[in-house]
Amino acid sequence: MKGEYKKLNEKVKIYTEKLKTDRSAANQYYREHLFEEVSQSFIKKVHDKQEKNEFKQYDYLIMSVGFSIGPLVMWIRALRPKEVFFICSEETEDLVNEICMLSNLKFTQCDHTIVRRTNGKDVYEKINEYIDKHRIKQQGLLNLVAIDITGGKKNMVSGCSLAANHLGIDLLYIDNNGYLPGVRKQLPGNEEPILLEDPLEVFGDRDLFKGITKFNSEDFEQATEIFRGIKERVVQTRNYETYEQLSIGYSHLEGMRFHKAHYHISQAIEWAEKLEMTNIPLPLLKQQLIAIEPLIKLHEIPERQVLSDNRLFWHLFGYLFKMADHYMNGKKYDISALLTYRCLEFIVQSLLLKQFDIHHSNPRYTHLDTKKILEKFNEISNDVYHDYRPLHRLPNKVTLMTGLIMLRALDEPMIRNVNIRSMNEYITARNKSRLVHGFDLLDKSQVEPFIGRVRGLASYIWNHEKHELSFTEGFDRFASRYAFVNIELNRNPQQVPHH
């Protein structure tokens, strides 16, 4: 069993790589190398549920046909119904022959109809006609009928659900609990056969709960996929588009794509206000939008300006520090250490440039007393490092530790109380992380004091620089604007959209 899983896993990896470069080739690979294994896995899941009496055996299977035929083929193979009724659009009618061929259905087992109108009532009527034609209701055989709503357009799903609810017919659905990273495709082999006990679940309630849970656990890509999936099945989409926009925005915010984050979060706020979606914390999101604004064109701004402009510096620093704090609280200590290091480095680079006109990548010292500074630099370095060898000239590239020592040698008041030797110990631990130069996994005891020291230093500089941002609030309050918000989960009708 483990060998089969490993083999499937390897094929999924190949499929994922092909999706990134050539979707047509990827789809062909899926059909030729993956579908049979995925199908067999799904059939086994159905049979296991039937043995536990979680699924019945159905003689009649009614299916809405979309452009993805794999789920329909898997249901037919798993349930082996006596007759199948396909509900198609004009665009999907031609797919019925392929579904029947792959499912080994005989011509006499199949029937189909085309739905041309865009409302669910037409679908509902077609299902009723099929039930009457085969005298299923009169013979008391409705318990042997199931409707699959995995595929098909929104009007089909709506009509299928209406018929199932009215006639007491089981609704079937294939759920997928995972998505391939970066390619917006469901994870093959993760398909789960679901019997929808409540027809309203098809309109999004069940998946909405799952999507919000994913969002609140900060799995924004999966949340996006779930909300998008609901949107493709329901008639009224705007609520789910709002959640989708917020998830997309947060994916970009986490990835420091501030211009895209600002756009999508703005869209979410606008729609949430119009729809009165009170489970989304709009006041916090509006504050966050203001905090993001200075960073929208960060990729176009010269480095010197970012380091020397107080407004730009503190907005970017606030974001970076909040992310470090965020990963610390999420017990992702190596990522937190990486970001904390960058925050400290950012402070050092900014102070050197603003106070002494020293740029870290191309430092020039001609305007300074280099002999005096070099002497002081070597003295401090000797106290920090074991077996230190004195420099004969000031460094031509300023690293983080070099910058800290340089600032102390220049008698910068903002870092007078910084314990440089202690900082070096934290930095050494960070350098041994698997994400940097080593193979260690950092723990809380190694990272928490480091982020605490940087927080203290940032707050001290924030208060003593007396810039325009510090006049109204403290650093922690300012940085909190970059924290990810949560969507409320409760099912109060005023907080979850009506269908």
Side-chain angles (χ1 to χ4, degrees):
M1 194 71 184
K2 285 183 179 178
E4 291 176 10
Y5 178 78
K6 185 178 179 183
K7 189 177 179 182
L8 177 62
N9 227 17
E10 289 171 354
K11 289 182 178 180
V12 169
K13 287 180 181 177
I14 295 171
Y15 172 60
T16 305
E17 289 305 311
K18 287 182 178 293
L19 278 170
K20 293 175 182 177
T21 55
D22 188 339
R23 292 211 164 220
S24 177
N27 291 334
Q28 184 176 346
Y29 181 85
Y30 178 86
R31 289 192 297 270
E32 294 177 359
H33 301 282
L34 260 174
F35 180 68
E36 287 304 321
E37 288 186 45
V38 169
S39 184
Q40 288 305 313
S41 171
F42 180 79
I43 291 168
K44 184 179 185 308
K45 290 173 184 175
V46 173
H47 291 172
D48 288 345
K49 288 197 173 191
Q50 286 177 328
E51 287 180 7
K52 297 174 185 175
N53 295 319
E54 294 177 17
F55 264 69
K56 293 186 295 189
Q57 180 61 50
Y58 300 100
D59 288 349
Y60 303 92
L61 189 56
I62 300 170
M63 314 192 86
S64 56
V65 182
F67 290 103
S68 179
I69 66 172
L72 287 78
V73 174
M74 290 193 291
W75 270 128
I76 296 168
R77 287 182 178 182
L79 294 173
R80 289 175 292 185
K82 292 179 182 177
E83 295 189 25
V84 182
F85 179 48
F86 297 103
I87 302 172
C88 319
S89 65
E90 290 179 320
E91 296 86 2
T92 61
E93 184 184 18
D94 290 342
L95 296 174
V96 172
N97 288 330
E98 189 176 352
I99 295 168
C100 293
M101 181 187 68
L102 291 171
S103 307
N104 294 318
L105 286 174
K106 297 177 182 177
F107 177 76
T108 54
Q109 290 180 275
C110 302
D111 196 357
H112 82 280
T113 189
I114 297 173
V115 177
R116 291 183 174 86
R117 284 185 284 171
T118 58
N119 58 62
K121 185 180 176 182
D122 192 26
V123 177
Y124 171 77
E125 289 172 354
K126 296 292 185 185
I127 292 173
N128 265 321
E129 288 173 11
Y130 177 79
I131 296 293
D132 290 341
K133 176 183 173 182
H134 290 80
R135 298 180 57 78
I136 293 170
K137 190 174 182 180
Q138 293 89 325
Q139 297 176 66
L141 300 177
L142 286 173
N143 65 322
L144 296 178
V145 183
I147 302 176
D148 166 47
I149 47 82
T150 308
K153 294 182 177 180
K154 296 168 190 173
N155 64 306
M156 291 187 187
V157 173
S158 174
C160 287
S161 181
L162 187 65
N165 194 24
H166 178 69
L167 297 168
I169 294 172
D170 286 346
L171 266 180
L172 304 180
Y173 178 66
I174 296 180
D175 199 2
N176 192 296
N177 296 314
Y179 291 85
L180 296 168
V183 291
R184 303 196 181 283
K185 278 276 190 177
Q186 293 180 333
L187 178 65
N190 242 35
E191 294 81 1
E192 187 67 30
I194 301 292
L195 174 63
L196 295 175
E197 296 177 1
D198 179 2
L200 284 178
E201 289 186 358
V202 73
F203 292 101
D205 281 359
R206 178 178 171 275
D207 282 349
L208 174 61
F209 186 87
K210 186 196 295 184
I212 291 175
T213 301
K214 288 290 184 184
F215 179 91
N216 289 347
S217 64
E218 291 153 21
D219 190 345
F220 302 122
E221 284 197 10
Q222 288 240 22
T224 300
E225 296 295 345
I226 292 169
F227 294 136
R228 181 175 291 130
I230 302 172
K231 187 184 71 176
E232 290 170 355
R233 300 201 312 272
V234 301
V235 177
Q236 297 179 0
T237 62
R238 187 48 59 92
N239 299 88
Y240 305 106
E241 287 175 352
T242 304
Y243 293 128
E244 180 191 14
Q245 287 296 312
L246 187 54
S247 300
I248 293 170
Y250 266 28
S251 288
H252 288 307
L253 183 60
E254 192 174 38
M256 297 184 71
R257 296 178 291 272
F258 298 113
H259 58 301
K260 291 183 178 180
H262 190 276
Y263 172 77
H264 289 286
I265 294 172
S266 296
Q267 287 289 107
I269 291 172
E270 180 184 341
W271 294 347
E273 282 187 321
K274 289 179 181 177
L275 297 165
E276 298 181 355
M277 297 172 69
T278 56
N279 63 327
I280 294 178
L282 290 173
L284 292 177
L285 280 177
K286 288 178 180 179
Q287 288 184 5
Q288 195 164 74
L289 211 58
I290 294 169
I292 295 170
E293 279 177 6
L295 304 176
I296 291 175
K297 295 186 177 180
L298 183 68
H299 56 291
E300 299 175 6
I301 300 171
E303 185 184 278
R304 278 182 171 270
Q305 186 178 339
V306 176
L307 290 171
S308 57
D309 184 304
N310 269 329
R311 185 166 178 263
L312 278 172
F313 170 82
W314 283 112
H315 277 276
L316 181 55
F317 183 88
Y319 167 83
L320 290 170
F321 186 81
K322 198 62 200 175
M323 289 300 103
D325 199 36
H326 162 76
Y327 286 116
M328 177 70 200
N329 294 331
K331 299 182 180 179
K332 296 178 180 178
Y333 302 119
D334 290 78
I335 300 176
S336 179
L338 204 64
L339 286 166
T340 305
Y341 178 96
R342 179 59 186 133
C343 286
L344 181 57
E345 184 178 51
F346 199 29
I347 286 174
V348 169
Q349 291 172 350
S350 178
L351 287 174
L352 282 170
L353 187 63
K354 286 191 296 187
Q355 306 300 338
F356 303 99
D357 195 26
I358 297 175
H359 191 273
H360 62 97
S361 64
N362 186 27
R364 303 198 181 279
Y365 309 104
T366 52
H367 57 297
L368 301 170
D369 185 344
T370 54
K371 184 177 179 181
K372 182 181 177 182
I373 295 169
L374 180 60
E375 184 180 331
K376 191 68 176 172
F377 183 93
N378 284 328
E379 180 186 326
I380 298 166
S381 299
N382 189 58
D383 186 53
V384 173
Y385 302 112
H386 297 294
D387 302 321
Y388 174 72
R389 294 183 180 180
L391 297 181
H392 299 293
R393 59 176 177 270
L394 291 173
N396 56 14
K397 188 176 182 181
V398 181
T399 63
L400 172 52
M401 279 303 298
T402 301
L404 271 176
I405 295 169
M406 180 74 69
L407 286 170
R408 180 63 63 79
L410 290 163
D411 200 26
E412 166 55 46
M414 297 295 182
I415 60 103
R416 272 182 197 152
N417 297 324
V418 174
N419 187 327
I420 297 180
R421 185 186 294 176
S422 177
M423 283 293 192
N424 184 51
E425 290 172 2
Y426 298 135
I427 291 165
T428 301
R430 167 263 182 194
N431 289 341
K432 292 179 180 178
S433 163
R434 291 181 187 180
L435 296 183
V436 189
H437 307 303
F439 301 96
D440 291 350
L441 280 175
L442 303 183
D443 59 33
K444 183 178 180 180
S445 66
Q446 293 170 294
V447 182
E448 191 172 46
F450 186 25
I451 198 169
R453 294 288 180 89
V454 175
R455 174 186 274 109
L457 178 59
S459 296
Y460 179 81
I461 296 172
W462 173 274
N463 293 330
H464 284 76
E465 277 194 340
K466 299 299 180 188
H467 48 81
E468 59 180 14
L469 298 172
S470 69
F471 292 146
T472 56
E473 60 189 350
F475 170 72
D476 281 334
R477 176 70 182 274
F478 169 79
S480 70
R481 287 180 172 82
Y482 293 103
F484 296 128
V485 305
N486 281 349
I487 300 171
E488 288 187 31
L489 270 167
N490 68 51
R491 303 261 182 170
N492 186 309
Q494 292 182 335
Q495 295 181 311
V496 174
H498 293 282
H499 305 298

